Amino acid sequence: MTIGHVLVTGAAGLIGRAATLRFRSAGVAVTGLVLDDPGDLEVDRVVVGNAADRAAVDEALDGVDAVVHLAAIPAPMLGTPDEVFAGNTAATFTVLDAAGERGVRRAAIASSINALGLGWSPRPRVAPAYLPLDEDLPTEAADPYSLSKYVDEVTAGAMVRRHDMTVVSLRFPFVGGLGEADELDDRLPAHAARVSGDPGLGARDLWLYLETRDAARALDLALRAEVTGSQVVFAAAGRTMAPYRTEDLLDAYYPAVPRRRASPGRTAPVDLSRAERLLGFTAEHLLPDSDEIRDLPTEMRTP
């Protein structure tokens, strides 16, 4: 699909800034919808407002032919349960429904690995039904953020039926920059170093990550790919952020979970074939130590 003008909600956020830079560099006009204008966004137009406010979204949709929806409260502790769940899901419904009513037929939204409900579950030691992760796993969502991301995917399906749209929901893991672009963040190496010292910090995300520029590229490809309907797609780097053998990490932190196939070396324990097949997406920006493999110390083998 050819894109002339894209609306990016949450344009001032970590992924939003990368997405606006990518679209602008490709000659695509960008409108950014933000709660507050930071004054330095690489966009053609800024609309200040809440993504759950129909009037603000309608204003932001003027002249737009595609939507990237990123606006959300990104963790369950960053608001009350009502604010997180109701705010996130209302924004997704409003943005997609308003876009559909305006004739926009292509959208990409930021879902999350947390749609599976593993990371912030109030229940102890929640694990996936099997590994590697894939898009067919049943959700264990019980916290307001994870539930909101799962409901966002369901909402996307409803908007496809309601407006004959195509919506791609990208399940992102931890997203961070390598510090190689002045305009973008640099939080990935520091986080990876913490996970290297304590792999338990990365266990809830299965040690997965995606560099910020790759997240933006996945969103771009999601708008342009020759797909239809509602598609849920994992987007992650093909290697883990922890410098240990993936099988050793899984033995330590998910010993009882059945494995449908092995994950040799530092292979990410997630099936990324749908992203490659449907979107033509493979992550390009990897941590510089991605080929390093250490033995998992004995003291780290007990979760």
Side-chain angles (χ1 to χ4, degrees):
M1 171 181 170
T2 300
I3 304 168
H5 189 164
V6 62
L7 166 63
V8 178
T9 73
L14 182 148
I15 301 175
R17 286 180 177 271
T20 59
L21 285 169
R22 180 174 180 88
F23 286 118
R24 283 289 296 275
S25 67
V28 177
V30 179
T31 292
L33 177 62
V34 294
L35 286 174
D36 298 290
D37 184 1
D40 63 347
L41 294 179
E42 290 289 335
V43 299
D44 298 275
R45 187 168 70 108
V46 174
V47 175
V48 176
N50 193 306
D53 180 349
R54 180 72 64 142
V57 173
D58 280 338
E59 180 183 352
L61 283 166
D62 284 347
V64 162
D65 53 24
V67 169
V68 168
H69 175 51
L70 305 173
I73 299 173
M77 70 288 295
L78 297 180
T80 67
D82 289 351
E83 289 168 343
V84 174
F85 175 77
N88 287 355
T89 54
T92 300
F93 177 87
T94 299
V95 169
L96 294 181
D97 189 51
E101 288 187 347
R102 294 286 289 270
V104 176
R105 294 293 176 260
R106 198 65 182 239
I109 70 172
S111 184
S112 168
I113 186 176
N114 290 295
L116 293 177
L118 307 180
W120 281 300
S121 176
R123 296 179 294 143
R125 303 176 71 87
V126 175
Y130 57 82
L131 290 165
L133 304 180
D134 66 23
E135 294 86 356
D136 296 324
L137 273 163
T139 185
E140 299 289 340
D143 69 275
Y145 174 73
S146 299
L147 183 59
S148 77
K149 293 288 99 177
Y150 177 70
V151 171
D152 282 351
E153 296 175 358
V154 176
T155 299
M159 294 302 100
V160 166
R161 295 186 293 273
R162 180 174 172 86
H163 297 296
D164 194 25
M165 302 174 70
T166 292
V167 184
V168 178
S169 303
L170 289 166
R171 284 184 175 175
F172 291 132
F174 179 92
V175 175
L178 288 170
E180 296 174 351
D182 292 340
E183 307 92 339
L184 303 179
D185 72 294
D186 61 354
R187 71 176 188 154
L188 180 55
H191 180 68
R194 289 190 292 270
V195 170
S196 175
D198 181 2
L201 296 175
R204 71 173 193 174
D205 282 343
L206 280 296
W207 310 278
L208 304 176
Y209 73 93
L210 188 65
E211 211 270 349
T212 312
R213 291 166 294 178
D214 278 327
R217 187 165 61 88
L219 290 161
D220 187 1
L221 291 171
L223 293 183
R224 301 178 191 272
E226 295 296 325
V227 297
T228 59
S230 177
Q231 304 289 343
V232 176
V233 180
F234 272 108
R239 293 179 182 147
T240 67
M241 69 170 65
Y244 309 107
R245 294 177 184 85
T246 302
E247 290 292 322
D248 289 347
L249 291 169
L250 297 179
D251 286 344
Y253 291 91
Y254 294 97
V257 177
R259 298 176 207 172
R260 295 184 168 184
R261 68 165 186 264
S263 299
R266 286 175 62 174
T267 300
V270 57
D271 185 347
L272 299 173
S273 61
R274 186 175 293 184
E276 185 171 0
R277 183 178 73 254
L278 295 184
L279 309 183
F281 175 77
T282 302
E284 296 176 348
H285 300 284
L286 304 181
L287 285 160
D289 70 346
S290 291
D291 292 326
E292 178 185 357
I293 297 180
R294 308 178 203 166
D295 292 329
L296 185 66
T298 302
E299 63 271 20
M300 294 182 181
R301 291 178 177 269
T302 301

